[in-house]
Amino acid sequence: MRDVILSKPAVELYKILKFEGLLSSGGEAKAAIDGGLVKVNGEVETRKRRQINAGDIIEIGSEKLQMRLG
């Protein structure tokens, strides 16, 4: 599991996937979320703009990200 430091309290899910390099673009990140390929805290998440906060865990494929506030 990889730690991700958030610069502000809430960040949209698709932006984290893009900025962390898990997907190459915002459009690709949105398509993966629409396709049910992304989990937040163990549950499939289909809201692209879901606000992600410190303590949340994002999973896509074999990647797991733990959110922390920096």
Side-chain angles (χ1 to χ4, degrees):
M1 187 175 321
R2 180 165 50 126
D3 284 345
V4 175
I5 307 302
L6 299 175
S7 59
K8 57 184 183 176
V11 179
E12 294 170 334
L13 175 58
Y14 83 95
K15 290 180 181 178
I16 292 173
L17 297 175
K18 179 180 131 182
F19 294 142
E20 289 301 312
L22 298 175
L23 296 161
S24 60
S25 70
E28 197 174 291
K30 289 176 182 178
I33 295 165
D34 278 340
L37 302 176
V38 180
K39 290 183 180 180
V40 176
N41 300 326
E43 295 188 14
V44 173
E45 182 56 68
T46 57
R47 294 173 291 169
K48 298 176 262 317
R49 295 186 181 276
R50 154 101 189 246
Q51 297 297 302
I52 301 298
N53 297 291
D56 287 339
I57 296 173
I58 298 172
E59 298 176 60
I60 181 167
S62 61
E63 291 281 344
K64 260 187 165 177
L65 305 176
Q66 169 79 50
M67 302 300 118
R68 303 211 185 279
L69 195 55

